[in-house]
């Protein structure tokens, strides 16, 4: 139960689709019974199809973690269902359009939701215009309905866009270091746990490099923290440029960084460390001159925890600094070498 609550709290789209499923089950099921008792077979079958399809979509989202395709599927079938219900029930069916507008703008991106909602609104208005009195009592009523739907769509789109943008910013703030835009400590811990799990389950190879700028405190003390910040940002750019796209850089704090390298062997880890050292020495400058980096690294092997893995890399970093800095030391079979 706790894992379910955690997934709902951390995945907004999954929580929305799950809420839609519950609302569909609770809100539409009574209408199914009512329509069938009234002898309105087609509407009852459509409502049944919507409830069952929603249930399968929610189940698919939970099993796969994919909330995009279930949302798109639901937007399509609910838009089509709203059109069909409006045609069959007339004015009484039009009220569902306002629910549809809110639903679409929360389960799919704004552009896709606008397209689905506009298509449904256009379809019902064209049908109403071609069949006077069947859906709308007058052209004036049809115009009023179209205008109110468009206004509701505008407000819903603005709210949905701002909500989506704010969620993206919050996710970014929770995972990135605000100065360097590298991953932060929280993101690093999560990625290291994932790497450990993949190694234990599939023997996936991972390497870890701990990078520490040499004599960085002097840059801050002599030239100020603004100059130090510029060095840190430029260092991040150089390292990212020197790495593969699959490698992930994190800032531990201060001038210390961690680089996680998936699908690499010890030789590749050593080559990466050598390349970063050379690139930093050639390109990184402070107001006082060149800035170098010391690197310690090790492969993930039979470590009991990520802390033990990090500790071994740290020991190698100390060795690199003891050897004169501006260099690297990579562990061999769990021991610095």
């Amino acid at each position: 139960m706790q894992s379910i609550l955690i997934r709902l709290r951390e995945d907004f789209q999954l929580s929305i689709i799950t809420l839609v499923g519950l609302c569909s089950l609770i809100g539409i099921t009574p209408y199914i019974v009512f329509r069938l008792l009234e002898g309105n077979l087609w509407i009852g079958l459509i409502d049944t199809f919507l409830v069952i399809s929603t249930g399968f979509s929610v189940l698919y989202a939970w099993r796969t973690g994919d909330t995009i395709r279930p949302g798109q599927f639901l937007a399509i079938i609910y838009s089509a269902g709203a059109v069909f219900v409006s045609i069959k029930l007339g004015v009484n069916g039009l009220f569902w359009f306002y629910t549809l507008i809110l639903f679409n703008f929360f389960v799919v991106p704004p552009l896709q939701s606008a397209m689905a909602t506009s298509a449904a609104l256009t379809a019902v208005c064209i049908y109403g215009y071609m069949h006077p009195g069947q859906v709308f009592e007058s052209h004036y009523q049809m115009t009023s309905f179209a205008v109110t739907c468009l206004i509701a769509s505008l407000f819903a789109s603005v709210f949905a866009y701002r909500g989506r943008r704010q969620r993206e910013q919050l996710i970014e703030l929770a995972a990135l270091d605000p100065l360097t835009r590298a991953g932060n400590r929280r993101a690093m811990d999560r990625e290291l746990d994932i790497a450990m799990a993949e190694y234990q389950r599939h023997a996936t190879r991972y390497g870890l490099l701990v990078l520490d700028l040499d004599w960085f405190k002097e840059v801050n003390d002599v030239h100020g923290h603004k100059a130090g910040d510029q060095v840190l940002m430029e260092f991040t750019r150089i390292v990212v440029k020197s790495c593969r796209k699959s490698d992930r850089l994190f800032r531990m704090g201060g001038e210390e960084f961690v680089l996680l390298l998936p699908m690499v062997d010890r030789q590749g880890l050593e080559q990466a460390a050598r390349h970063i050292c050379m690139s930093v020495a050639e390109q990184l400058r402070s107001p006082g001159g060149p800035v170098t980096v010391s690197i310690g690294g090790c492969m993930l092997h039979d470590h009991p925890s990520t802390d033990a893995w990090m500790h071994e890399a740290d020991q190698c970093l100390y060795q690199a600094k003891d050897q004169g800095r501006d260099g690297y030391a990579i562990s061999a079979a769990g021991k610095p070498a």
Side-chain angles (χ1 to χ4, degrees):
M1 184 64 182
Q2 185 176 2
S3 61
I4 293 176
L5 293 176
I6 291 174
R7 284 193 67 184
L8 289 174
R9 184 170 60 248
E10 294 183 350
D11 193 330
F12 178 79
Q13 289 301 119
L14 181 61
S15 65
I16 288 294
I17 290 179
T18 303
L19 179 62
V20 168
L22 292 174
C23 292
S24 174
L25 180 64
I26 297 172
I28 299 180
T29 301
Y31 280 94
I32 296 175
V33 177
F34 178 72
R35 304 301 182 199
L36 294 177
L37 290 176
E38 274 194 331
N40 202 334
L41 180 62
W42 277 109
I43 301 298
L45 290 176
I46 290 174
D47 289 342
T48 302
F49 173 75
L50 291 176
V51 171
I52 294 175
S53 298
T54 303
F56 276 113
S57 297
V58 172
L59 181 62
Y60 176 85
W62 275 92
R63 289 178 64 89
T64 65
D66 178 10
T67 58
I68 301 298
R69 281 180 284 187
Q72 293 170 337
F73 173 71
L74 291 176
I76 291 172
I77 65 170
Y78 272 81
S79 296
V83 172
F84 193 85
V85 169
S86 298
I87 291 174
K88 288 295 183 180
L89 299 182
V91 175
N92 291 330
L94 295 176
F95 294 106
W96 288 104
F97 256 87
Y98 298 101
T99 303
L100 173 71
I101 291 170
L102 294 175
F103 169 76
N104 280 350
F105 279 100
F106 274 97
V107 298
V108 291
L111 180 59
Q112 296 178 13
S113 58
M115 292 172 60
T117 304
S118 299
L121 181 61
T122 301
V124 76
C125 286
I126 290 176
Y127 185 90
Y129 182 80
M130 296 177 63
H131 300 82
Q134 186 170 338
V135 179
F136 303 100
E137 296 178 359
S138 64
H139 292 317
Y140 175 79
Q141 186 186 68
M142 181 181 71
T143 303
S144 298
F145 171 75
V147 170
T148 55
C149 280
L150 290 174
I151 293 175
S153 297
L154 176 62
F155 281 108
S157 65
V158 171
F159 184 79
Y161 173 78
R162 288 183 61 86
R164 186 179 294 269
R165 180 60 183 148
Q166 288 173 348
R167 288 195 303 275
E168 292 173 351
Q169 291 174 339
L170 288 174
I171 292 172
E172 184 176 288
L173 289 173
L176 296 182
D177 173 62
L179 175 64
T180 63
R181 312 305 289 173
N184 60 18
R185 181 65 180 266
R186 178 182 179 184
M188 184 193 74
D189 290 340
R190 183 174 62 249
E191 291 292 335
L192 292 183
D193 287 339
I194 293 173
M196 178 70 73
E198 290 186 349
Y199 173 78
Q200 293 173 345
R201 185 176 305 172
H202 305 294
T204 305
R205 294 178 300 180
Y206 278 93
L208 189 70
L209 295 178
V210 179
L211 308 92
D212 191 88
L213 290 173
D214 299 325
W215 312 115
F216 181 75
K217 186 175 184 298
E218 293 185 2
V219 176
N220 279 334
D221 292 345
V222 176
H223 303 286
H225 288 281
K226 186 174 181 180
D229 289 346
Q230 289 295 327
V231 169
L232 290 174
M233 290 187 289
E234 183 64 13
F235 172 75
T236 302
R237 186 194 66 80
I238 294 171
V239 173
V240 170
K241 186 178 179 181
S242 303
C243 296
R244 303 170 301 174
K245 290 185 177 180
S246 58
D247 300 338
R248 295 185 286 278
L249 180 66
F250 308 95
R251 184 184 180 192
M252 281 276 288
E255 69 275 20
E256 190 172 4
F257 293 76
V258 170
L259 184 65
L260 178 64
L261 300 90
M263 301 301 296
V264 68
D265 56 16
R266 187 185 181 281
Q267 182 179 0
L269 188 65
E270 186 173 353
Q271 290 175 349
R274 183 186 305 116
H275 182 55
I276 291 172
C277 279
M278 292 175 58
S279 298
V280 170
E282 292 173 357
Q283 302 176 41
L284 188 59
R285 297 289 183 272
S286 75
V291 180
T292 58
V293 64
S294 297
I295 301 175
C298 68
M299 294 295 298
L300 176 58
H301 47 90
D302 297 326
H303 297 98
S305 66
T306 57
D307 288 339
W309 186 19
M310 181 71 70
H311 177 72
E312 184 175 339
D314 275 332
Q315 293 299 112
C316 292
L317 174 64
Y318 298 145
Q319 181 178 337
K321 286 188 175 293
D322 290 340
Q323 291 172 349
R325 304 176 189 264
D326 188 19
Y328 61 90
I330 306 297
S331 172
K335 296 182 179 180

